[in-house]
Amino acid sequence: MPGTTKLAPATVINCNMGIVRWGDELILVNPLRLRPQQEEKLQDLGKVRHAVRLGYYHGRDDLYYRDHFNLTFWRQAGSDFYPPTADRLLREGGDCPVPGGRFVEFSQSRYPEAILWLPHNGGLLLCCDALQYWQSWRGCNWFGRNLLRFGGFRRGMQVAPTWRTRMTPEGCDPQHCMEDDFQRLLQLPFLHFMGAHGEFCADKAHEEVAGAVARVYSGLDRAA
């Protein structure tokens, strides 16, 4: 579900919430606060049972959902930039609120970040900030579009440049840091992708992610 978020005064970019339905239960990934009418439509889809935080700098609306829906809240240990505390800790190889799903954690990043893989319908990758797929700047105002461009964002799939800079630990070689995590991710089968920013990538996500990772770690970042 697309929405927006304010990064700074007068600076707005798009933001996405993933909604996974399993039976009559809903799992919200990267939760976003909705307008009352939209929240009613959300509840028409099923019972909101879980909320999952995948990125350290996301989560400003998580406390609202935990308090209003009495759901189970998942996040990584140390992903505490926003409240609340975790009801269940998100761990690679651990439990997942979606049967058959799997969490992949970035093992080298400065702050916690994870990806949720779901095996259904050819495989779906749900991400926060690490990977982003932009085909337009819909949902961004003028300041937001230009802030993204200034930060190195381009159309298509990419390892988010500002995320990579922020998440590379001090003293770690940025030409190689976190490459192993992305390569582990590419061992999973998936056709579809959605990040917390950008747009949904259908049917060709694996090849798009593989290309984005190769460009970054071979030093061939795309020109503007």
Side-chain angles (χ1 to χ4, degrees):
M1 177 174 285
T4 60
T5 187
K6 182 182 288 187
L7 290 184
T11 305
V12 176
I13 67 169
N14 95 323
C15 204
N16 302 314
M17 174 172 70
I19 304 171
V20 180
R21 182 165 60 183
W22 186 262
D24 65 347
E25 295 189 354
L26 301 181
I27 300 95
L28 307 183
V29 182
N30 303 320
L32 291 177
R33 181 82 177 268
L34 303 175
R35 294 186 177 92
Q37 298 89 337
Q38 293 175 311
E39 192 171 286
E40 290 177 7
K41 292 180 180 179
L42 175 68
Q43 293 181 76
D44 288 341
L45 295 175
K47 300 176 182 177
V48 182
R49 294 298 194 193
H50 300 270
V52 179
R53 177 188 300 173
L54 293 178
Y56 180 74
Y57 288 105
H58 280 242
R60 67 179 63 180
D61 296 324
D62 291 347
L63 186 60
Y64 170 82
Y65 278 103
R66 220 275 299 271
D67 287 349
H68 282 74
F69 290 93
N70 192 30
L71 49 71
T72 300
F73 175 60
W74 300 67
R75 67 165 172 81
Q76 291 170 275
S79 187
D80 53 6
F81 190 76
Y82 289 104
T85 57
D87 298 312
R88 298 287 301 275
L89 282 178
L90 182 166
R91 296 189 182 94
E92 185 162 343
D95 292 338
C96 180
V98 184
R102 184 187 305 178
F103 290 115
V104 178
E105 294 187 89
F106 284 87
S107 62
Q108 296 179 301
S109 59
R110 179 180 293 178
Y111 303 108
E113 181 97 4
I115 287 176
L116 173 58
W117 172 79
L118 303 177
H120 317 97
N121 300 313
L124 169 65
L125 215 60
L126 291 170
C127 173
C128 192
D129 290 331
L131 291 161
Q132 299 182 28
Y133 181 71
W134 292 91
Q135 285 294 87
S136 70
W137 306 112
R138 184 175 57 187
C140 305
N141 66 7
W142 185 90
F143 290 103
R145 290 195 300 273
N146 284 282
L147 180 66
L148 290 171
R149 289 167 176 159
F150 182 77
F153 287 86
R154 303 293 182 261
R155 295 180 190 271
M157 186 74 72
Q158 58 217 281
V159 177
T162 52
W163 175 89
R164 187 177 170 213
T165 299
R166 181 179 285 179
M167 287 294 187
T168 299
E170 187 175 352
C172 183
D173 180 2
Q175 294 300 316
H176 300 287
C177 186
M178 296 182 285
E179 181 179 6
D180 290 346
D181 293 322
F182 283 107
Q183 294 299 337
R184 285 191 302 113
L185 187 63
L186 288 169
Q187 299 305 307
L188 297 170
F190 58 92
L191 294 177
H192 318 293
F193 166 87
M194 188 176 75
H197 304 288
E199 297 171 65
F200 183 73
C201 179
D203 301 326
K204 58 177 183 177
H206 194 281
E207 61 190 83
E208 292 282 349
V209 172
V213 171
R215 285 191 297 273
V216 166
Y217 290 106
S218 65
L220 298 178
D221 289 317
R222 227 180 327 180

